[in-house]
Amino acid sequence: MSATPVTAPASTAVDRLHFPPGFLWGAATAAYQVEGAAAEDGRTPSIWDTFSHTPGKVVNGDTGDIACDHYRRYRTDVTLMSHLGLQAYRFSLSWPRVQPGGRGPANPAGLDFYRRLVDELLGAGIQPVATLYHWDLPQAREDAGGWTVRETAERFGEYAALVADALGDRVALWTTLNEPWCSAFLGYGSGVHAPGRTDPALALRAAHHLNLAHGRATAALRAALPAHAQVAVTLNLHQVRALTSGPADLDAARRIDAVGNRIFTGPMLSGGYPADLLADTAHLVDWNSLVKPGDEAAIGAPIDLLGINYYTPTVVSAPTPHATAANHAHGESPHSPWPGSEYVNFHLPQGDTTDMGWAIDPTGLYDLLMATSRAHPGLPLAITENGGAFPDIPTADGQIHDHDRIDYLHRHLAAVHQAIADGADVRGYFLWSLLDNFEWAYGYEKRFGAVHVDYATQLRTPKASARWYARVIGANAIPGL
């Protein structure tokens, strides 16, 4: 941690964009990306342990074995959060740390870590926001079929009950799944994420079982939590744009919206799977046998909040026979993460990009918030991830002057502010990420953190963006653009 605490002095700006009273400001991480301690206190391997230890799967052969050592350094990290003025911390629990093997009784040592973390947060006046699943499926569950089999959804409901029983008296906001699209279609379709399988039919089966897992976990949480607790799910909804207004390009956008968004929002929020998705994918999966009676009702149990993760828009045009199957925003692969729409063409929007090669376009966030609000009126929203990866090269004095990240955050927060002004019920914003961390298949090459981590020494150094974000939180406002 930096020797100099980060403070949040009052802004002197006259022209500021104020957020509503009670707007929740936070930051987010995920268990496998920050915790380390991969084999300690009873934790068993997850699919990401296996995947990252498989040669050629992760840049430089990096793994999450140590990551940010958050498992040992969580008190230091909570102190950092306090200095930043964070009001909430969104973290995920490691399923194989809590329930080794993905079934059976809880591991007391695993649950105790999260009890200590939650107590530390509450002691610092920071609201804990718990995510049950951020991609680290126990390897034993994958060996039994993973998300391609129904049993995993049933076991997930049991895991949710264990966690709610342990932490339900202290955690008031819960998220069932983080980005199930990535789990299903990058994990079982394109294979660029764990477990690295490349079967379009299995990817669709995985999507349904993730939906069902959300339903089972929602029921388990409702049964165990006090009445005031809130249940949410976080989706990386794609802001899909057609390259032109031509009918073929518009249909390409419809197809990607179906398998990118409505495969989840349909059963979760609108009563069932959309007919066009079923038609687009009927040659790959028998939906009538996959979706059992009562499944859609279970998946559609009411939630209190929808979390939205946004980084960049998705621009598509009509399929062509020789279109690349890869969508480079999600990693290079000869296998498509878009079952039934493999030959839709993807285009990189014009303009500046982040270190991930993702276009910087805050209008996509505004459009997404407005479209979601119109589609699901009365459902509160929160930005549960938003941020940018940049090179972040320390200067001679060890400081990181990441003005490109400040500009990114400023413009995206202005888009959120405009969406609220135009009627979107957005309740909070969680910066991705609190810390530089293990960025999945990109290893440690990409840095999203507001706090720089020297992986060799584990020294934490708040970047200029951290100090800027602290001022935003303190003022509940951003400077006008």
Side-chain angles (χ1 to χ4, degrees):
M1 177 179 165
S2 171
T4 304
V6 179
T7 58
S11 173
T12 58
V14 175
D15 182 17
R16 292 186 294 180
L17 302 177
H18 289 268
F19 284 76
F23 191 83
L24 188 64
W25 296 98
T29 65
Y32 190 73
Q33 294 182 272
V34 299
E35 283 182 2
E40 295 191 24
D41 295 335
R43 183 187 182 277
T44 58
S46 74
I47 54 175
W48 270 98
D49 293 280
T50 302
F51 189 81
S52 65
H53 282 270
T54 302
K57 296 297 185 182
V58 175
V59 171
N60 297 324
D62 292 338
T63 75
D65 290 358
I66 299 173
C68 303
D69 200 28
H70 180 67
Y71 189 77
R72 295 183 184 84
R73 300 170 187 264
Y74 70 93
R75 290 188 177 91
T76 295
D77 292 336
V78 172
T79 299
L80 257 178
M81 298 177 212
S82 182
H83 288 161
L84 288 172
L86 291 186
Q87 298 165 354
Y89 174 53
R90 179 176 174 256
F91 64 95
S92 76
L93 293 96
S94 168
W95 189 354
R97 193 181 298 286
V98 168
Q99 192 187 37
R103 66 181 305 160
N107 169 30
L111 280 178
D112 282 348
F113 167 68
Y114 296 107
R115 289 189 180 101
R116 294 193 301 272
L117 173 60
V118 166
D119 288 346
E120 196 77 14
L121 290 166
L122 292 173
I126 299 169
Q127 178 179 340
V129 179
T131 297
L132 291 174
Y133 186 73
H134 198 135
W135 307 355
D136 48 355
L137 182 71
Q139 182 62 44
R141 289 259 47 85
E142 175 61 23
D143 295 342
W147 289 114
T148 71
V149 299
R150 189 179 183 90
E151 182 188 0
T152 301
E154 307 299 342
R155 298 288 82 79
F156 187 74
E158 296 169 3
Y159 157 67
L162 291 174
V163 175
D165 183 65
L167 300 177
D169 60 333
R170 284 164 287 175
V171 177
L173 178 54
W174 295 79
T175 301
T176 55
L177 305 174
N178 181 82
E179 297 187 353
W181 186 88
C182 294
S183 298
F185 297 112
L186 302 184
Y188 294 88
S190 67
V192 298
H193 280 192
R197 298 166 77 174
T198 55
D199 185 317
L202 292 182
L204 291 165
R205 293 181 63 85
H208 175 62
H209 294 138
L210 282 154
N211 279 332
L212 185 60
H214 161 73
R216 295 289 188 256
T218 298
L221 291 171
R222 296 289 191 206
L225 297 177
H228 68 271
Q230 294 186 306
V231 177
V233 67
T234 282
L235 305 177
N236 59 315
L237 296 177
H238 299 78
Q239 177 54 32
V240 185
R241 295 170 170 171
L243 184 65
T244 75
S245 59
D249 286 0
L250 291 174
D251 188 65
R254 176 203 61 76
R255 298 179 73 97
I256 297 306
D257 177 55
V259 75
N261 297 330
R262 289 181 288 117
I263 193 170
F264 300 107
T265 60
M268 287 182 182
L269 304 175
S270 300
Y273 287 102
D276 62 326
L277 167 75
L278 303 185
D280 290 345
T281 57
H283 63 292
L284 294 171
V285 67
D286 180 1
W287 288 95
N288 289 328
S289 63
L290 177 62
V291 181
K292 306 297 184 187
D295 281 4
E296 287 170 310
I299 297 166
I303 57 174
D304 302 298
L305 181 80
L306 175 63
I308 294 176
N309 293 354
Y310 172 85
Y311 292 95
T312 191
T314 300
V315 180
V316 299
S317 63
T320 56
H322 304 292
T324 176
N327 174 12
H328 301 304
H330 298 293
E332 302 279 352
S333 172
H335 303 280
S336 174
W338 307 100
S341 297
E342 293 86 352
Y343 297 110
V344 166
N345 280 293
F346 288 82
H347 304 269
L348 184 67
Q350 298 298 310
D352 294 336
T353 63
T354 68
D355 204 32
M356 297 288 286
W358 298 346
I360 301 173
D361 188 347
T363 68
L365 178 55
Y366 171 84
D367 291 344
L368 182 59
L369 290 172
M370 298 310 298
T372 306
S373 294
R374 288 190 294 268
H376 309 289
L379 179 61
L381 310 175
I383 307 303
T384 40
E385 285 185 27
N386 176 242
F390 295 98
D392 293 344
I393 300 172
T395 56
D397 61 357
Q399 299 302 302
I400 300 92
H401 303 286
D402 56 338
H403 298 296
D404 41 11
R405 181 173 289 105
I406 293 172
D407 180 68
Y408 179 102
L409 296 176
H410 193 175
R411 293 166 60 193
H412 283 78
L413 284 172
V416 175
H417 184 274
Q418 187 62 54
I420 294 172
D422 291 343
D425 185 9
V426 185
R427 303 287 182 88
Y429 178 93
F430 290 80
L431 171 69
W432 185 269
S433 174
L434 174 68
L435 304 169
D436 290 335
N437 54 49
F438 177 81
E439 186 47 45
W440 307 114
Y442 293 95
Y444 296 102
E445 281 205 344
K446 308 297 183 183
R447 292 181 178 269
F448 278 87
V451 176
H452 182 275
V453 177
D454 182 321
Y455 298 114
T457 65
Q458 293 296 334
L459 177 69
R460 274 85 157 130
T461 304
K463 304 173 188 177
S465 62
R467 293 185 284 274
W468 181 87
Y469 191 50
R471 292 192 291 272
V472 167
I473 296 170
N476 195 34
I478 58 172
L481 289 174

